[in-house]
Amino acid sequence: MGAFVVLGTLGYYLLGFMTGKPASIASCLYMTVITLSTVGYSEVIPVARTEIGRLFSILLILTGVGVLFYALTNLAILLLEGTVQGAWGRWRMEREIAKMSNHYIVCGAGRVGEVIVRELVHTHRQVVVIDRDAEKVSALGRELNVPFLIGDATEESILLAAGIKRAAGLLAALGNDHDNLFLVLTARFLNPDLRIVARGNHPSVVNKMLKAGADEVVLPETTGGLRMVSLMVRPAAVSFLDQMLRQREVSLRVEEVSISPSSSLVGKKLAELKLPQQWNILVLAYQQGDGTLIYNPPADLELKQGMTLIVMGDIRKVDEFRRLAEGG
């Protein structure tokens, strides 16, 4: 509408000079406004009374007034359907996602996706959820107070809106292998450095997903079978892990902490940190530069930059230790 007002004003102004009946910008603007609003007081400028001026007015009415009525009709529909609030909410959510970095994108809000989102939220990770099912993803997003997007996670535009360029990882938990495979391929193309963990339903899809760009592929049926065996032969160990994951008062988790080059911990011995005494944190293992895991590290282990410690402790204490290890 602003464009039509400007074009109408300039049109009357230029036609005035062309016909030798010039008018001021203010008069041309007034003529444009009363024409578009269909008030129609009179032809307030001389050029509007000429043949070419009236042809221009007809063109302005047919186009400008049509656009005005179309805009007003759509606005009425928005108000009647109550989607203005939804549009405002989506805008706020998009702004919130635009501020996020090093977050995790969960694609799929089904049974597996819901468990993933709850665990990420419980361990204080930033997360964005994507799913086609508007009712399901919005209910989960509002319950856990996390941003969500309604749409097809395999589309580039949706992944870009979720901030995939700035994300730390993506979890592909869609319902079928074909969608997850295409999602992995698209995500790897958009962000080559992204860590991707994908869900697979059939063992035959594992190699395909790894070749498409997934870092890890999880088969829920295989994981479920291993858990059943564990419950049979080592029930106490499984009970301990279950309690660790289900407790809400104390968020006990096994986490990894990387030693950055700027950290004050570089060069110190593991015993000097007094993690069990001061932080109530146990160091279970550490990862060397070549990826090899060494279990039960000795107390005289010297911490080096790039080293990753596998620790167990309360998530809040681990977060504090992680900030120290990262040089924060």
Side-chain angles (χ1 to χ4, degrees):
M1 287 310 302
F4 274 106
V5 170
V6 171
L7 290 173
T9 302
L10 292 177
Y12 282 124
Y13 186 78
L14 294 175
L15 286 175
F17 275 100
M18 291 170 57
T19 58
K21 297 181 179 181
S24 66
I25 288 288
S27 298
C28 294
L29 174 62
Y30 181 67
M31 182 67 196
T32 301
V33 171
I34 64 174
T35 301
L36 291 175
S37 62
T38 69
V39 173
Y41 288 136
S42 64
E43 296 165 330
V44 295
I45 55 177
V47 69
R49 303 187 189 99
T50 65
E51 185 174 349
I52 190 172
R54 287 174 175 168
L55 288 173
F56 181 79
S57 297
I58 292 172
L59 181 63
L60 189 62
I61 290 170
L62 291 176
T63 55
V65 175
V67 169
L68 175 63
F69 282 137
Y70 177 80
L72 291 175
T73 302
N74 279 276
L75 179 60
I77 293 173
L78 283 172
L79 292 172
L80 288 173
E81 293 181 351
T83 55
V84 169
Q85 184 177 359
W88 172 255
R90 285 193 299 272
W91 179 76
R92 289 183 60 187
M93 199 169 299
E94 288 169 1
R95 287 195 62 189
E96 182 181 351
I97 294 173
K99 297 177 182 177
M100 296 171 68
S101 61
N102 293 322
H103 58 287
Y104 296 90
I105 301 172
V106 179
C107 301
R111 292 189 298 271
V112 175
E114 182 179 346
V115 173
I116 294 170
V117 174
R118 291 185 183 278
E119 175 63 14
L120 288 171
V121 171
H122 191 60
T123 54
H124 309 149
R125 264 84 173 187
Q126 288 186 314
V127 58
V128 177
V129 193
I130 305 173
D131 198 281
R132 292 192 187 99
D133 191 326
E135 184 177 354
K136 186 184 298 181
V137 71
S138 59
L140 181 63
R142 292 190 181 101
E143 179 189 350
L144 300 178
N145 193 28
V146 296
F148 59 89
L149 295 173
I150 301 168
D152 187 352
T154 63
E155 294 183 2
E156 290 187 16
S157 58
I158 295 293
L159 292 174
L160 290 172
I164 192 170
K165 298 279 190 181
R166 307 180 305 277
L170 180 141
L171 297 106
L174 300 178
N176 63 76
D177 290 341
H178 178 270
D179 287 344
N180 280 324
L181 182 60
F182 192 73
L183 170 58
V184 168
L185 193 64
T186 306
R188 180 59 68 204
F189 170 74
L190 293 175
N191 187 346
D193 299 324
L194 188 70
R195 179 166 176 78
I196 300 174
V197 177
R199 169 190 176 180
N201 294 314
H202 301 285
S204 61
V205 81
V206 173
N207 287 334
K208 295 177 184 178
M209 286 191 178
L210 292 174
K211 290 179 180 178
D215 294 289
E216 302 287 347
V217 180
V218 177
L219 300 174
E221 291 184 0
T222 302
T223 304
L226 291 174
R227 176 176 170 79
M228 290 180 68
V229 172
S230 297
L231 284 168
M232 178 59 68
V233 302
R234 54 184 80 89
V238 176
S239 296
F240 168 73
L241 293 173
D242 281 347
Q243 290 181 16
M244 181 179 72
L245 293 173
R246 292 174 182 172
Q247 281 184 339
R248 290 294 177 259
E249 301 81 16
V250 179
S251 301
L252 190 64
R253 292 292 186 274
V254 175
E255 294 279 340
E256 60 180 56
V257 176
S258 298
I259 310 297
S260 70
S262 60
S263 174
S264 59
L265 303 181
V266 175
K268 289 187 176 181
K269 304 290 185 181
L270 189 59
E272 296 178 38
L273 304 183
K274 298 181 179 179
L275 291 177
Q277 297 85 358
Q278 296 184 4
W279 300 79
N280 198 22
I281 292 175
L282 296 178
V283 180
L284 305 178
Y286 71 95
Q287 189 177 46
Q288 296 178 325
D290 59 359
T292 304
L293 281 171
I294 307 298
Y295 298 96
N296 192 21
D300 61 350
L301 174 68
E302 182 180 341
L303 300 181
K304 300 177 181 179
Q305 66 179 44
M307 181 182 290
T308 299
L309 302 179
I310 311 301
V311 303
M312 183 173 69
D314 182 84
I315 190 65
R316 295 176 181 84
K317 293 292 185 180
V318 173
D319 283 342
E320 292 178 19
F321 177 56
R322 182 181 287 112
R323 285 192 288 270
L324 181 64
E326 292 175 351

